[in-house]
Amino acid sequence: MGRSKKRRSKNTRPNQPRRQIPSREAEIDALAPAYTDWIGKDATDQESHYVLEFVKMVMGFHRKLQPGSSCTSFRALPLEAAICLCVDEIAEGDDFLFIPFVSSMSLYTNFLEQTGRWTGTTRQLEDLRNYYHRAHIAFEAVGPNRGFEWSELDPTEQLKFLEETPLAKKARNLLAAVDAQLHSDTGPTWRQEFWASVTVFDQDATDKNSAQVRFDILANLGLTPTQGSAERLADIRNTFSNGDNPDRLALLETLVYACFENEFSRDSSPYSDELPVGQTIGRILAHAAETTGSVSGLILTNPGALMPGGATPETAEFYAEVGRRLKYLQELGLSSAP
């Protein structure tokens, strides 16, 4: 009989322990403090957490597609596929989360670039920007497949909401001040009492543009130095206080729409060759209305977060102006829930 041979393993070394690859969650959690600092101190922890949770989900699917990839370097095509998988698996095919996924990744990409943490190439960054831009344009053109379902407020609820906005309260106080000026002992003309109310009312306000704000509110109600009158003032005040619900709602809606129209149409943007400031504000508000219902505090406190790194001073001022106008609308209760 031949000698039996035992099969020996070619590898005589003990098995080496596998290197533990940090999870995407751990990698992104490690960046969370720097991300929070970058967003700005006025952003809430919930808002910062909200964006990073979307990033974690996308990057989790991205790692399945690209196992050797990094959370600081990724390409547009696999990322697009990862976002589609998120919509399919997490949102069960409803694409109401598509734009939040895209916006969160766009914000995260800007964070990596602006803080020097991006480890990919410049070409990859450019491809990502093109994808984010294309995704928003396409979604705006087609709209969500089903999207959020909400019941439209009935007129009574609409009136209650509008009456409680800071804009409505400012308007009431301002109309009372104009009326007080008109009935003062000096007996001024309409033009005189109009300007006196605009420049004197709430003179201790910290807002340097408060006089302009008051002028705009009066003008949106049809009260100007040349077109207003004491009769028109009395009619508006009576509607505010004693008008039927449909009349009060119509008055407040007219005031709100006029405020939006002013912001959408004012100037043609001296800062950018692309979108006017007003059109950019309109797109942000339209997206907010279709998703969360209000503009994210991230944008209100740090509009530059939307801006890619290495932008020109003109582009930086463009986004700063967008932020200033959104902040103004928020102070009136028109861009964020009160």
Side-chain angles (χ1 to χ4, degrees), residues 35 50-55 58 99-109 132:
Y35 176 81
Y50 169 84
V51 171
L52 290 183
E53 286 304 306
F54 273 95
V55 172
V58 174
I99 286 298
F101 280 126
V102 172
S103 297
S104 296
M105 287 308 305
S106 177
L107 199 66
Y108 176 70
T109 303
Y132 297 143

Side-chain angles (χ1 to χ4, degrees), residues 8-83:
R8 300 179 60 189
S9 171
K10 294 181 180 180
N11 183 9
T12 59
R13 295 182 180 182
N15 290 333
Q16 296 290 328
R18 291 186 177 181
R19 181 173 64 88
Q20 293 295 318
I21 300 176
S23 67
R24 276 291 181 262
E25 290 79 4
E27 292 178 356
I28 295 170
D29 282 339
L31 294 172
Y35 176 81
T36 301
D37 290 341
W38 176 75
I39 286 295
K41 62 180 181 180
D42 293 329
T44 66
D45 293 338
Q46 181 180 2
E47 290 166 338
S48 298
H49 176 76
Y50 169 84
V51 171
L52 290 183
E53 286 304 306
F54 273 95
V55 172
K56 288 178 184 178
M57 288 185 278
V58 174
M59 296 309 293
F61 279 101
H62 186 272
R63 170 163 278 181
K64 292 181 181 180
L65 298 173
Q66 302 279 307
S69 63
S70 164
C71 67
T72 60
S73 173
F74 35 88
R75 294 182 297 109
L77 189 59
L79 185 75
E80 181 175 1
I83 289 177

Side-chain angles (χ1 to χ4, degrees), residues 116-129:
R117 289 176 168 81
W118 173 255
T119 57
T121 66
T122 302
R123 176 60 185 271
Q124 287 174 331
L125 274 177
E126 188 64 30
D127 289 343
L128 285 167
R129 289 179 191 142

Side-chain angles (χ1 to χ4, degrees), residues 180-225:
Q181 286 288 333
L182 189 64
H183 292 88
S184 64
D185 293 337
T186 56
T189 65
W190 167 258
R191 182 188 296 267
Q192 291 172 327
E193 63 89 5
F194 176 92
W195 285 118
S197 300
V198 168
T199 56
V200 176
F201 175 73
D202 196 21
Q203 59 183 339
D204 295 327
T206 57
D207 181 5
K208 295 180 180 179
N209 295 318
S210 57
Q212 181 63 50
V213 170
R214 293 193 294 275
F215 179 92
D216 289 342
I217 291 175
L218 288 172
N220 290 337
L221 289 169
L223 300 173
T224 67

Side-chain angles (χ1 to χ4, degrees), residues 1-6:
M1 293 178 62
R3 186 175 57 180
S4 64
K5 298 181 180 180
K6 293 184 177 181

